[in-house]
Amino acid sequence: MLSSHSLSHRPILAPSLSKFRFPNRPPTFSLSRIFEHNPRLTKSKWKISCFRHEGFSPENPKPEYIEHFLPEELVQTELYKSSAHRRDWKSTLKEAADTVSRAVGSGWTVPWTAETILQVMLLWVAAFWFIGSWMIPFAAHMAGFSKESLTFKGQALFSLVTDVTEGLAGIAILHRCLSNFHPLPSDWFKFSLRGKWLFDVALGCLLFPFVNQLSQFNLTLLPLMPSTPVTLSSVEQSILARDPVAMALYAIVVSICAPVWEEIVFRGFLLPSLTRYMPVWSAILVSSVAFALAHFNVQRMLPLIFLGMVMGVVFARSRNLLPSMLLHSLWNGFVFLDLMR
């Protein structure tokens, strides 16, 4: 940064001397003599002020100003450059949006409205909560046992039955709510081994370490409260006990059941349905937020949103649920193996 002392000894140069016209040009250049000989300039010149450092002193706190005029042509040129710069930014953003649109494809043909979308999602959340918190525990109680009294194998089987029941209930809700719209278009709930989607799945797997780092960052932003008791889940307890049967049952739950049910609801139904009201990239983001909220864990919101976006892009590019299910399964398996270390 330059000091005011150094600035006071630097000469002030006119912006463009060739643009000034005045009679009887004196042999020595002086800004003050220019304006003495040019008391009035034409109205086509634009007036601006320039601070003169020579007249500034502690005794004279008000700076003196000298006036000079900028040619209108130069101002118009600068305005044109600024306008062109804005147009460049707009065109760049448009090109980026077009690139994203080409990457994720166009929207789906959605025969139902927002009312059906909301109905399906609310019924799915209610069924998920009712089955996991009331129906299965009540059935276990009527059978004469509770989950807490079970062995590791029993708890793993209990989780498997709960997860399968929740998944089947979700599929039943989808079938009932969408029955009036059958037959559905061919790109709805599509499962296929065909297509060039293996590269997208592999690229998604390369992002797993970043998702893990994002999880640590989320915990830094929203740490657990000191008063919150740290408890081990039944999965972690079975891993610590090294019960092979329990670990195998939990692996089925986290690597097969959960990815299938969740992908059918969030990528198979919600994401395409939202494209009736918004672009595909917006539908990917909104469905990813809903996917993260459905896990009821604020300490994992950021990694779940990002993971949902990755799986949403894979699904939108392939129009196939199998790649996103496979990626989801691989992620859950990655977490499960990480717990086993």
Side-chain angles (χ1 to χ4, degrees), residues 83-253:
S83 177
H85 183 68
R86 287 195 296 270
R87 285 197 299 270
D88 289 343
W89 270 107
K90 290 180 180 179
S91 61
T92 301
L93 290 175
K94 187 177 183 302
E95 290 175 0
D98 292 341
T99 302
V100 172
S101 298
R102 287 193 298 269
V104 298
S106 59
W108 281 255
T109 301
V110 185
W112 46 81
T113 62
E115 182 181 357
T116 302
I117 300 173
L118 188 62
Q119 180 187 34
V120 169
M121 296 309 297
L122 289 179
L123 285 174
W124 181 81
V125 172
F128 183 85
W129 172 79
F130 176 74
I131 292 171
S133 300
W134 290 93
M135 195 180 85
I136 300 297
F138 180 74
H141 176 73
M142 294 299 294
F145 60 89
S146 63
K147 182 180 179 181
E148 290 74 18
S149 63
L150 297 174
T151 62
F152 292 126
K153 297 180 183 68
Q155 290 185 12
L157 184 61
F158 186 94
S159 296
L160 179 61
V161 171
T162 301
D163 206 82
V164 170
T165 307
E166 289 171 345
L168 293 176
I171 293 176
I173 290 170
L174 278 172
H175 184 268
R176 179 66 185 88
C177 292
L178 304 183
S179 60
N180 294 331
F181 305 99
H182 285 281
L184 297 177
S186 60
D187 57 348
W188 279 88
F189 303 107
K190 179 181 176 182
F191 296 85
S192 176
L193 291 172
R194 298 180 180 179
K196 300 178 181 179
W197 46 263
L198 285 176
F199 175 78
D200 290 346
V201 174
L203 187 60
C205 292
L206 293 178
L207 295 174
F208 286 173
F210 175 75
V211 178
N212 201 29
Q213 292 297 321
L214 199 59
S215 180
Q216 299 299 322
F217 177 71
N218 199 156
L219 284 172
T220 303
L221 288 179
L222 297 170
L224 293 172
M225 298 298 293
S227 58
T228 303
V230 180
T231 58
L232 293 177
S233 65
S234 56
V235 179
E236 293 171 319
Q237 291 175 4
S238 65
I239 291 174
L240 288 175
R242 296 298 175 183
D243 188 316
V245 176
M247 291 169 63
L249 291 174
Y250 279 125
I252 294 173
V253 171

Side-chain angles (χ1 to χ4, degrees), residues 269-289:
F269 170 74
L270 182 59
L271 192 160
S273 298
L274 292 173
T275 60
R276 175 167 180 158
Y277 301 100
M278 61 187 69
V280 177
W281 66 267
S282 299
I284 291 173
L285 177 60
V286 173
S287 62
S288 299
V289 173

